[in-house]
Amino acid sequence: MKQCEYKQAVSNINRPNRIALAVSQSADEEKTNIITLGWFMRTSISPPMFAISVGVSRFSYELLSDNRKFVLAFPSQKMVEKTIQCGTQSGSDVDKIKEFNIKTQNGKLSSIPLLSNAVANFECKNVSQIRSGDHTIFIGEVKYSWINQDPDIKLLLSVEDNEKYEVLHKSKNHTFGLIK
Ligand SMILES: Cc1cc2nc3c(=O)[nH]c(=O)nc-3n(C[C@H](O)[C@H](O)[C@H](O)COP(=O)(O)O)c2cc1C
């Protein structure tokens, strides 16, 4: 082992990584937004729970603090462009669902929509939140789970550009693709 800068060590453990999209909504249901997330995890089997880590400067942070529910959706290969758009633009400037033409459908828990082209959607009720440096961890209990029935749908990942993966998007900061 050789001691190094944090950034160098972290860059070695970053990929492959699942990506998620968190859909949130203001309490008055006027605004609905989607954020791309790399930082999330399952945190309980019974009841099932997911934690998501959202920067306090994000528009999503405001909505998640305002309305304690969210949908966690896992993007498919059909959502590459939308995953980048939701992860590079803010809902404070743009209505992402409308502008990026994101297909949605009704869920059961609330008026927060499911993402129709996702591999799976989880409707969560936020049961706890913890400040973690410049991010806040929102812990959601899964109330309803949904899967996509399209047999061709595949889970989009943040990957490395090598022979193990089929790269679908590559830019300076992000490489997205599928496991071959
Ligand atoms: C692949 C990827 C992963 C990201 N992961 C996170 C994350 O885990 N937490 C976070 O707060 N922002 C993350 N971001 C950045 C936000 O998605 C981005 O700042 C977004 O524009 C915020 O949208 P909002 O202001 O509408 O909430 C990620 C972006 C990308 C492209």
Side-chain angles (χ1 to χ4, degrees):
M1 284 285 162
K2 170 179 154 260
Q3 191 185 351
C4 68
E5 292 298 322
Y6 167 78
K7 268 191 170 178
Q8 189 191 348
V10 149
S11 72
N12 277 22
I13 59 154
N14 251 351
R15 291 171 182 172
N17 193 32
R18 282 193 195 126
I19 314 155
L21 299 168
V23 191
S24 55
Q25 193 173 64
S26 56
D28 63 9
E29 302 180 7
E30 291 280 311
K31 286 185 174 171
T32 305
N33 190 42
I34 306 175
I35 182 173
T36 303
L37 298 173
W39 294 356
F40 60 89
M41 64 193 285
R42 289 169 66 192
T43 57
S44 169
I45 299 168
S46 181
M49 290 187 179
F50 278 103
I52 60 174
S53 184
V54 176
V56 296
S57 62
R58 316 281 191 234
F59 184 60
S60 297
Y61 169 79
E62 284 178 38
L63 299 190
L64 286 160
S65 305
D66 187 33
N67 179 355
R68 295 173 66 83
K69 295 183 200 85
F70 61 89
V71 167
L72 196 62
F74 288 80
S76 71
Q77 80 277 24
K78 295 184 174 177
M79 302 179 76
V80 180
E81 197 190 347
K82 295 172 189 356
T83 301
I84 296 155
Q85 289 166 326
C86 290
T88 50
Q89 299 198 42
S90 179
S92 55
D93 308 320
V94 61
D95 179 341
K96 298 186 196 180
I97 293 179
K98 202 169 137 202
E99 291 300 318
F100 308 147
N101 201 16
I102 298 177
K103 209 171 156 206
T104 63
Q105 62 192 79
N106 291 340
K108 266 176 85 173
L109 180 66
S110 72
S111 54
I112 302 178
L114 311 178
L115 304 187
S116 304
N117 285 322
V119 171
N121 282 271
F122 299 91
E123 290 185 274
C124 300
K125 193 168 181 303
N126 179 12
V127 291
S128 183
Q129 66 190 68
I130 305 156
R131 181 73 184 242
S132 171
D134 54 9
H135 280 55
T136 287
I137 300 167
F138 295 90
I139 301 173
E141 185 176 323
V142 178
K143 294 295 184 184
Y144 300 104
S145 306
W146 305 79
I147 50 163
N148 198 317
Q149 288 176 297
D150 178 349
D152 297 328
I153 214 95
K154 289 183 182 147
L155 186 66
L156 187 66
L157 301 170
S158 171
V159 298
E160 289 177 297
D161 186 3
N162 65 32
E163 69 292 344
K164 288 187 199 158
Y165 307 103
E166 180 187 343
V167 172
L168 301 178
H169 164 90
K170 190 171 175 178
S171 59
K172 188 169 159 264
N173 295 322
H174 304 289
T175 306
F176 293 153
L178 306 172
I179 293 178
K180 274 186 184 166

